[in-house]
Amino acid sequence: MVAQRGRRNGAGAAHKRTRPPGTPDADNAPTAEMPAVGENGADPEVRARAIPEAAVARLAVYLRVLSAMAEQGSTTVSSEELSSAAGVNSAKLRKDLSYLGSYGTRGVGYEVEVLVGQIERTLGLTRQHKVAVVGIGNLGHALANYGGFPGRGFPVEALFDIDPDLIGVPVGGLPVSHLDDIPRVCTERQISIGVIATPPAAAQSVCDRLVAGGVQCILNFAPVVLQVPEHVEVRKVDLAVELQILSFHVARRADNAEAAAGGVNGHVVDPAVMPS
Amino acid sequence: MVAQRGRRNGAGAAHKRTRPPGTPDADNAPTAEMPAVGENGADPEVRARAIPEAAVARLAVYLRVLSAMAEQGSTTVSSEELSSAAGVNSAKLRKDLSYLGSYGTRGVGYEVEVLVGQIERTLGLTRQHKVAVVGIGNLGHALANYGGFPGRGFPVEALFDIDPDLIGVPVGGLPVSHLDDIPRVCTERQISIGVIATPPAAAQSVCDRLVAGGVQCILNFAPVVLQVPEHVEVRKVDLAVELQILSFHVARRADNAEAAAGGVNGHVVDPAVMPS
DNA sequence: GTTTGTGAAGGGATTCACAGCC
DNA sequence: GGCTGTGAATCCCTTCACAAAC
C-alpha cells in the first residue's frame, strides 16, 4: 500500500485483535484528549491532508484570537504575536498554520482575514452544523440559551428532555420535545451534532437514540464512557476528570515542595497549604 | 521494582536551551490538551515519579468505572474488563496502572478496592480541594448546584458574581459574594481551585483576582486564553473548540465520502455558507 | 533587516509482544 | 490454562534551527 502513513490500512477489521462482537471498539472515546486523526472508519487511500488532531484543537483557538484581532482592526499578525496571544510558542503556531497551506508573507506576517478564512474552511465552518441538546436541566438551559452557540455556525435546532412538565415549553425560543422523539426529530431536522447533558444513567440510552437519528457527532457532558459504533465521533467534557487532574497537580506540587524542603530556591510555596 | 526505570538519567539541567529572558514562557495553557507533566517551574532534580499527563486523565476515568463496579459488588477485575469499560485498550490500561505500582495479581486481575485506593491517593483525592465558582449565570448555577461536586472531595465553598441583585442570595445553600471580595474570601477560606464561568470579557480580571487570592488551579469555562503566572495551573473547557473539532471531523468525513465517490451516505447539509 | 516555512532532531505516548508469575 | 508487568518498537507531536523569501 501507499507510503508510511498507512499503518492503519488494515483498519477496517483486519488485525483489530480479537474483538468481542458486541463491544463497539472501545478504542474510541479517547479521554477527550487525543483521538488519532486518521482513526475513523474511512478509506485510508483518501489523500489525507492529515492534519494532526492536536493541531486541529489549536486552530480553533487561533481562530478565536484572530477574530478578536480583526474586530480590533488588525490586518496582519506575525507568528510571534499570534502565538503569544494564543498561549503557544511560535514554532508550533507556524507549523500548525503550515498545514493549511502557505498563507504568510516572509518578513511580514499573516493577513488576518486570509487566515480566518482558511481556518474556517479547514475546520468545516463554512457548512452549518445543526445541534440538538438533550437534557434541559441547569446545564442544558445554559447550552440552549447560548442561542446559536459559539459564533454562528452551530444553530441549536432541537431540545429534548424526559420531564413531562418541560415538553412543549420553549427554552431559548425552541420547544422541548420528548426523548422518545429523538430519532424522528433528528432525522427530520438533519441534526449533525448531539449534545448530551443528562444525568449519567440516561446518557447511554440517549446516545443510542441520537445515533439512531443519524447523528454522527456527540458532545458528552455526562460522566460516563459512551459506547458507540465506529462511525460516530464522541468528544467528552468531564468536569470530574478536569478537577481530578487539577487535584493531581496540587498534590504533586505539594510533594515537590516537601521534597525541596531544606533547599532554598525561588519557589513560591505557600506555607498555608492544607496539611492532610 | 528496582533502579531499572532510569531511562531519564541524562535528564540533568544541561540542555535547557537559551530562553529569551522576557518571554513569559507562552508554553503553558496548552489547549486543554496535553501539558507536559514535568513542565512546570519545579526543579528537575526532584525525583519525579513522572506519570504522564495523558495517563492522569485516564486514571480519573478508571476511578469512576471502578467505583461503579465496586457498588455493584465486583471485587476483582481483569485489565480486559476494566479497559473495555473505560474505552481504552488493555495494554494502555496496564501501563497506566503500572505507574501506580504493582497492585495486580498475575493470572487473576486487580482487586477493585485496592485500585480505587491507589488511584485516589495518586490523584491527591485524599485531601480536600475547596472550590470557588465565579460567575453565577446559567452555567455557574449548574456548577454550584452540583453541591459538593463530583463525588465528594471538591466542596464548593465560595460563589462570586458582579450582579448586585445576586449578592447575598444563596445558591445551592451558599450566599453569593462580590467579585471584589475574591482575593480576601479565597485567602480566608483557603480555596485551592477556582472555576471561571463568567463572560469572556471578565475572565482575565477574575483570573487575576483568584491568583491574588492564592488560588493555584483554575478551571476556565470562558472562551479566552488566560495569562497566568507560571506556578498556576489552568485547564480549560471550551465549548466552541469542542464543537469545531467535531465540525472538522464531519467535514473530513464528507470529503472522504466524496472522494470515495459512490456517495450514499448520511446527511451533510447544504453548502449554505456564511460569507464574512 | 525581518519573518515564514520546513527538514531534522528530540521526546512522549501508544502499542507490541513476551517474560514472569499465578 | 490465564493475566499482569514491562522492555522495545513505533508512531505522533513538538521543538530546533536555518534556508528561502520578502
Side-chain angles (χ1 to χ4, degrees):
Chain A
M1 285 277 7
V2 199
Q4 59 280 57
R5 184 151 283 112
R7 79 123 200 291
R8 217 37 163 127
N9 26 21
H15 76 295
K16 257 277 172 167
R17 162 180 55 276
T18 56
R19 184 166 14 152
T23 327
D25 196 310
D27 204 6
N28 100 22
T31 306
E33 286 292 356
M34 325 209 70
V37 77
E39 183 67 276
N40 80 342
D43 304 280
E45 74 241 30
V46 170
R47 183 234 26 222
R49 62 178 146 302
I51 140 166
E53 179 78 4
V56 172
R58 287 189 299 266
L59 284 173
V61 175
Y62 305 153
L63 177 56
R64 178 155 53 226
V65 174
L66 285 164
S67 302
M69 285 176 168
E71 242 168 72
Q72 288 191 343
S74 307
T75 60
T76 62
V77 265
S78 68
S79 61
E80 200 59 58
E81 282 177 84
L82 181 50
S83 68
S84 89
V88 303
N89 72 17
S90 62
K92 198 189 292 186
L93 175 99
R94 287 199 302 278
K95 181 137 287 198
D96 288 345
L97 293 185
S98 78
Y99 294 120
L100 308 178
S102 260
Y103 296 103
T105 307
R106 292 165 198 239
V108 179
Y110 302 87
E111 233 175 287
V112 174
E113 278 192 31
V114 173
L115 234 41
V116 168
Q118 289 305 322
I119 296 178
E120 283 181 343
R121 188 179 55 78
T122 303
L123 294 184
L125 302 179
T126 50
R127 314 171 189 239
Q128 283 221 334
H129 303 276
K130 299 177 182 172
V131 174
V133 177
V134 188
I136 313 300
N138 269 313
L139 177 56
H141 253 89
L143 297 173
N145 283 328
Y146 256 119
F149 267 110
R152 70 274 99 125
F154 296 93
V156 177
E157 308 228 331
L159 302 176
F160 300 96
D161 202 291
I162 200 175
D163 181 354
D165 294 346
L166 269 175
I167 311 298
V169 175
V171 174
L174 200 64
V176 177
S177 310
H178 191 273
L179 289 198
D180 291 337
D181 296 329
I182 291 177
R184 181 176 56 75
V185 173
C186 286
T187 306
E188 281 174 12
R189 305 194 191 162
Q190 304 221 356
I191 300 297
S192 51
I193 299 179
V195 178
I196 300 180
T198 65
Q204 181 63 56
S205 127
V206 162
C207 173
D208 294 342
R209 296 186 211 195
L210 287 169
V211 171
V215 170
Q216 302 239 346
C217 294
I218 290 177
L219 182 55
N220 179 30
F221 284 87
V224 266
V225 179
L226 295 177
Q227 310 288 340
V228 294
E230 48 173 281
H231 66 281
V232 174
E233 184 85 23
V234 177
R235 305 263 323 161
K236 77 168 193 249
V237 173
D238 192 325
L239 196 55
V241 170
E242 296 299 329
L243 288 172
Q244 289 173 3
I245 293 171
L246 288 175
S247 169
F248 170 78
H249 287 289
V250 174
R252 191 169 50 84
R253 194 164 300 167
D255 287 355
N256 284 1
E258 258 167 47
V264 189
N265 64 355
H267 208 72
V268 213
V269 173
D270 194 333
V273 259
M274 48 191 73
S276 70
Chain B
M1 65 189 59
V2 234
Q4 222 57 312
R5 180 151 287 125
R7 73 118 197 288
R8 73 204 150 84
N9 30 21
H15 69 295
K16 255 274 179 192
R17 157 178 70 279
T18 53
R19 174 147 47 129
T23 327
D25 200 309
D27 208 2
N28 103 27
T31 307
E33 284 292 358
M34 324 211 69
V37 75
E39 182 65 274
N40 79 344
D43 303 279
E45 75 241 29
V46 169
R47 190 248 3 248
R49 65 177 142 302
I51 143 167
E53 180 77 4
V56 172
R58 287 189 300 266
L59 284 173
V61 175
Y62 306 153
L63 178 56
R64 178 156 52 224
V65 174
L66 285 164
S67 302
M69 286 175 167
E71 243 167 72
Q72 288 190 341
S74 307
T75 59
T76 62
V77 266
S78 68
S79 62
E80 200 61 56
E81 283 178 84
L82 181 50
S83 67
S84 89
V88 302
N89 71 19
S90 62
K92 199 191 290 187
L93 175 100
R94 286 199 302 277
K95 182 138 285 197
D96 287 346
L97 293 184
S98 79
Y99 294 121
L100 308 177
S102 260
Y103 296 103
T105 309
R106 293 164 199 238
V108 180
Y110 303 88
E111 233 175 289
V112 174
E113 276 192 33
V114 173
L115 234 41
V116 167
Q118 288 306 321
I119 295 178
E120 284 181 341
R121 190 181 53 79
T122 303
L123 295 183
L125 301 178
T126 50
R127 314 172 190 237
Q128 283 224 331
H129 303 276
K130 299 176 183 173
V131 174
V133 177
V134 188
I136 312 300
N138 269 312
L139 177 57
H141 252 89
L143 298 173
N145 283 329
Y146 256 120
F149 266 107
R152 70 274 98 121
F154 297 93
V156 177
E157 306 230 330
L159 302 175
F160 301 96
D161 202 291
I162 202 175
D163 181 354
D165 293 346
L166 269 175
I167 311 298
V169 175
V171 175
L174 200 64
V176 177
S177 308
H178 191 273
L179 290 196
D180 292 337
D181 295 329
I182 290 176
R184 183 177 53 77
V185 173
C186 286
T187 305
E188 282 174 11
R189 303 192 193 164
Q190 303 219 0
I191 300 297
S192 50
I193 298 180
V195 177
I196 299 180
T198 65
Q204 182 63 56
S205 126
V206 162
C207 173
D208 294 341
R209 296 185 212 193
L210 286 169
V211 171
V215 170
Q216 302 238 345
C217 293
I218 290 177
L219 182 54
N220 179 29
F221 285 86
V224 267
V225 179
L226 295 177
Q227 310 289 341
V228 294
E230 50 172 279
H231 67 281
V232 175
E233 184 86 23
V234 178
R235 305 265 322 164
K236 76 168 191 250
V237 173
D238 191 325
L239 197 53
V241 169
E242 296 299 329
L243 287 173
Q244 290 174 3
I245 292 170
L246 288 176
S247 168
F248 170 80
H249 287 289
V250 174
R252 190 168 51 83
R253 193 163 301 168
D255 287 354
N256 285 1
E258 257 166 48
V264 266
N265 75 339
H267 40 259
V268 193
V269 204
D270 51 335
V273 219
M274 33 139 197
S276 86

